[in-house]
Amino acid sequence: MLDKLDALKIFCTAAETLKFRETATRLGIAPQRVTRAIAELEKQLGEMLFIRNTRQMKLTPFGSQFWRKAEVLLADSESLFAESGHPHLEEMSGRVRITLPPLFENHDILCRLLDALADYPLVNIEWRVTDAHLNIIDEQIDIGIRIGTVPDNRFIVKTLYPVGVSIVAAPALIARMGMPESLQDLRHHYPLSALNNSDSGRIWPWQFADGYTFFPTQPAFVASDIASELSAALAGRTYSQMADISVRQYLQRGELVNVLPELNFKAWQLYIFRPHQPLLPARTRLVFDLLTQILKDLFRESK
């Protein structure tokens, strides 16, 4: 039984890295052991798990399905053999690297997390707030929080809250320029804001439910962060398309007005994710679970 669990751990790591040599390095074993474990698994299952050639390696369709099942089995086995529901203090030490976008709730998220970790003083948090989509594996990120489309099955993902987009403007700007009659009217005759995409160096497009997108051609204000774009809208400088979680409180207080509300739509998800890890450190599992609950509570409160 232990041999099979070891083989599953090797397989799950190989499924994540898609490189046998890197798998061996991560697990601290010889590369030959990785090759042998995968071959034995494939023989027992009667199915190929990987397609391999001189240039690349990828999972077979069966391998992808088996990966998900193997992850569940390994997680269950860890729970079964745990002595209690609370990890020992000596297990709860070391660094947990977290990346997340510049949300307005970040202060509350971090304060709640650090308060929840008060009993674990040896857990060190590395908190990376950035718009850039870091390479999770290369940067050795343990946990990510993002707004967007949910990533593929290379990650363990929990969706938390649907995120929509709305077009907003300050009442003073609307009083001065009026309410646009249509999207095309807005696009061509009103001052728009734009947000830089730090990954591509270009601005993000405005997006709509019917699949239509456009890039503001002569934006009246360009920002590299959400907070600055919001400031431009609040100052009456621009009509802006922004995430509803960013503008909700200002709409409620009347500091912003929803322009062309028929174009509102739920575009993305707020989600938390982590890489597949067959040997997940107890500290990472603890922080992942705490953050999941904190985010659920915080956005439930803000509805």
Side-chain angles (χ1 to χ4, degrees), residues 165-169 174 178-187 190 192 206 208 214 239-241 257-265:
V165 287
S166 306
I167 301 169
V168 297
I174 294 173
M179 190 71 78
E181 296 180 359
S182 66
L183 179 58
Q184 294 305 319
D185 184 29
L186 173 70
R187 178 182 179 184
Y190 292 81
L192 307 183
W206 287 34
F208 303 93
F214 74 84
Y239 293 74
S240 303
Q241 188 186 54
V257 174
N258 194 176
V259 177
L260 300 174
E262 66 274 13
L263 296 178
N264 294 354
F265 81 109

Side-chain angles (χ1 to χ4, degrees), residues 7 44 47 54 78 83 134 153 211 214 239 248 253 290:
Q44 290 180 19
E47 294 277 356
T54 56
E78 289 178 8
E83 292 182 6
L134 303 178
N153 63 4
F214 74 84
Y239 293 74
R248 178 174 46 238
R253 294 201 296 258
L290 287 174

Side-chain angles (χ1 to χ4, degrees), residues 213-234:
T213 65
F214 74 84
F215 293 88
T217 52
Q218 292 183 316
F221 183 84
V222 180
S224 60
D225 63 279
I226 297 169
S228 297
E229 185 179 24
L230 176 62
S231 295
L234 289 168

Side-chain angles (χ1 to χ4, degrees), residues 254-293:
E255 296 176 49
L256 291 173
V257 174
N258 194 176
V259 177
L260 300 174
E262 66 274 13
L263 296 178
N264 294 354
F265 81 109
K266 298 295 183 185
W268 308 300
Q269 285 280 345
L270 172 68
Y271 60 90
I272 184 170
F273 67 102
R274 61 175 176 82
H276 281 279
Q277 284 183 275
L279 298 174
L280 184 68
R283 64 182 182 275
T284 303
R285 186 180 300 279
L286 173 70
V287 174
F288 186 84
D289 291 342
L290 287 174
L291 274 174
T292 299
Q293 192 57 52

Side-chain angles (χ1 to χ4, degrees), residues 10 24 28 33 36 76 93 171 181 217 222 242 246 252 273 282:
I10 292 170
R33 186 177 173 189
R36 186 168 60 251
D76 289 344
S93 63
E181 296 180 359
T217 52
V222 180
M242 303 194 68
S246 300
Q252 291 171 347
F273 67 102

